[in-house]
Amino acid sequence: GVEGALINALSAPSAREGLPTQLSVGFLDVPGTGPVLTTSMQMATSGLGYGADGKQPAAIDLAGVILNDQGKQAGSFKNRLTINPSQQASDDPQAGVIYSHKLPLKPGLYQVRVAARDDKSGRVGSNAQWIEIPDLQSKQLTLSTLMVGGQFIGSNNKEANGAKGQEQLQFSVDRRFARGSHLNFLTLIYNAA
């Protein structure tokens, strides 16, 4: 079933490529909360199953797990996204739908593993990345993750981004940019003297 396919992909030693799935991880220090890990997934929409007539909504089941350096689970998530045929942008093979998950975490070294499954075809994709969240209480000069290619995502993507109709700033996941486009980037400096 769906659950088994995602669990198998999450635990596989190498990435599954049936459904192209890009992954970007980063952290920011949030006042009153502390370090927050953002996991962003981008799944290709051009090859999803849109039904025999190509006009049915597609669906992606996705899951993620965050493991600490001892291999113990520090967090997890799962969700289901619905993608309308109009979002597939078949003339752009790089087009994709983005899902982001935020999780407060203690300082430490973590591995983020994600998997996604196309509901109609059963094709599965996965990816994994490591991230170190520094201890800002050490008062050492520290930078946040470098976030690249920020753009505002409107309410038309609210389901995928959990924005509930509000605009939010979404940074690039695959870090692919059209030639001649403007490149925005952001990093925050902590413990500056």
Side-chain angles (χ1 to χ4, degrees):
V2 175
E3 195 95 2
L6 291 174
I7 290 172
N8 286 341
L10 287 172
S11 58
S14 58
R16 301 282 175 89
E17 299 180 351
L19 173 60
T21 302
Q22 304 290 332
L23 171 64
S24 175
V25 296
F27 89 93
L28 289 174
D29 187 62
V30 177
T33 301
V36 173
L37 171 76
T38 298
T39 299
S40 294
M41 304 170 61
Q42 179 173 323
M43 286 70 64
T45 55
S46 59
L48 294 175
Y50 294 97
D53 59 1
K55 296 180 179 178
Q56 306 304 313
I60 297 175
D61 292 290
L62 55 86
V65 62
I66 298 93
L67 306 172
N68 65 19
D69 58 357
Q70 305 297 313
K72 300 287 179 64
Q73 185 172 306
S76 65
F77 60 88
K78 62 180 179 178
N79 210 332
R80 183 178 175 93
L81 306 182
T82 300
I83 299 94
N84 293 320
S86 61
Q87 290 179 257
Q88 65 178 304
S90 56
D91 57 332
D92 180 9
Q94 305 298 336
V97 62
I98 294 174
Y99 175 81
S100 293
H101 177 80
K102 297 184 185 302
L103 177 70
L105 283 177
K106 298 176 182 176
L109 181 65
Y110 297 92
Q111 185 183 44
V112 180
R113 304 179 69 89
V114 299
R117 180 183 182 273
D118 177 14
D119 179 60
K120 289 185 174 65
S121 71
R123 294 186 299 122
V124 175
S126 65
N127 214 321
Q129 280 189 25
W130 289 89
I131 183 171
E132 183 174 4
I133 296 179
D135 182 4
L136 298 181
Q137 302 303 316
S138 69
K139 303 303 180 187
Q140 297 285 323
L141 181 65
T142 307
L143 292 179
S144 72
T145 306
L146 178 65
M147 293 161 283
V148 181
Q151 61 176 332
F152 281 100
I153 302 297
S155 58
N156 61 329
N157 254 10
K158 64 183 177 182
E159 183 167 10
N161 290 284
K164 300 196 187 321
Q166 300 174 357
E167 282 198 341
Q168 67 176 20
L169 192 60
Q170 174 65 61
F171 290 93
S172 174
V173 176
D174 62 3
R175 298 193 174 190
R176 292 175 183 262
F177 305 100
R179 181 175 295 181
S181 62
H182 292 283
L183 182 62
N184 303 313
F185 65 91
L186 172 70
T187 189
L188 299 182
I189 302 168
Y190 302 117
N191 296 326

